[in-house]
């Protein structure tokens, strides 16, 4: 299996521009998570999906952030408009859950820089 | 408040030496605890998982311990190698949900 695939790996944009990050989870996994990582705050959960349905989006910073999962093999995280404080590494992770929370499999991340 | 705290924040050791990383948590109800290794510029990768009833688990040169009474875990690295240089993140999950609480990690640097 190719693992969780994220794109782009690096994105540099100017304040006010729209940013779309993409994720392909591991086939067969039923949970998908979006995290943001910064030096100051570590890994923070933004939103997670179960079987393509958003379950908890309480970590989404504000209305500028939105996430979708139109099917089991694709998810997007969109920031519009972007701001310099959004600069971070965004990780997508997928998991196959059972009776206990399963192992998270992370992608390589998308490093976003907003100028 | 549900929290996971790790210590030290950073650590430098010489190749071949052993080290121990600490994780204290206040997550309740507790389901399991994992240690992840994150190489620079990469995503985290799971090293071990420990449930409530487990005290020790090994993965090669990595040994994790868990004391559910004191809510403490440690990760011991034996005979460190240069490739062990990374951040080590303690992750605790809740029973009954699929949310995870992440520690801020320990940055380990192994010098030749």
């Amino acid at each position: 299996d190719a693992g969780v695939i994220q794109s782009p790996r690096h994105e540099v944009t100017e304040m006010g521009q729209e940013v779309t990050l993409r994720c392909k989870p591991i086939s067969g996994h039923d949970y998908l998570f979006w995290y943001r990582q910064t030096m100051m705050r570590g890994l923070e959960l933004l939103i997670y999906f179960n079987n393509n349905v958003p379950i908890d989006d309480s970590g989404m910073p504000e209305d500028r952030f939105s996430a979708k999962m139109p099917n089991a093999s694709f998810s997007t995280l969109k920031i519009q408009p972007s701001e310099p404080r959004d600069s971070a590494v965004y990780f997508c992770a997928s998991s196959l859950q059972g009776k206990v929370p399963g192992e998270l499999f992370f992608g390589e991340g998308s490093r976003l820089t907003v100028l | 408040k549900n929290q996971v705290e790790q210590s030290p924040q950073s650590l430098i050791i010489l190749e071949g030496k052993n080290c121990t990383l600490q994780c204290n948590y206040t997550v309740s109800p507790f389901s399991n605890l994992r240690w992840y290794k994150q190489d620079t510029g990469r995503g985290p990768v799971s090293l071990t998982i420990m449930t409530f009833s487990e005290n020790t688990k090994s993965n090669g040169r990595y040994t994790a311990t868990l004391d559910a009474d004191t809510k403490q875990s440690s990760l011991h690295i034996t005979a460190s190698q240069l490739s062990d240089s990374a951040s080590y993140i303690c992750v605790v999950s809740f029973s009954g949900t699929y949310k995870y609480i992440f520690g801020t990690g320990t940055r380990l640097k192994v010098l030749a």
Side-chain angles (χ1 to χ4, degrees), chain A residues 75-96:
Chain A
S75 177
T76 60
L77 178 67
K78 184 176 293 186
I79 308 172
Q80 166 64 19
S82 58
E83 297 182 2
R85 60 191 167 126
D86 301 331
S87 297
V89 182
Y90 291 81
F91 285 100
C92 174
S94 71
S95 180
L96 181 62

Side-chain angles (χ1 to χ4, degrees), chain A residues 9 31 33 35 37 39-43 45 48 56 58 91 95 97-104 106-108 111, chain B residues 31-32 34 36 38 41-47 49 51 89 91 93-100 102-104 107:
Chain A
R9 288 295 312 276
Y31 277 78
F33 303 78
Y35 289 92
Q37 186 177 41
M39 287 291 291
M40 291 297 295
R41 301 170 70 96
L43 278 157
L45 176 66
Y48 75 94
D56 186 343
S58 59
F91 285 100
S95 180
Q97 302 292 355
K99 291 183 178 180
V100 296
E103 177 180 350
L104 293 171
F106 286 83
E108 299 288 45
R111 179 176 294 277
Chain B
S31 177
N32 61 50
R34 293 180 186 272
Y36 282 78
Q38 185 176 21
R42 309 293 297 274
V45 176
S46 178
L47 290 173
I49 175 177
T51 59
I89 304 171
V91 183
S93 57
F94 292 90
S95 175
T97 77
Y98 296 110
K99 293 185 74 169
Y100 303 75
F102 287 76
T104 53
R107 300 184 72 176

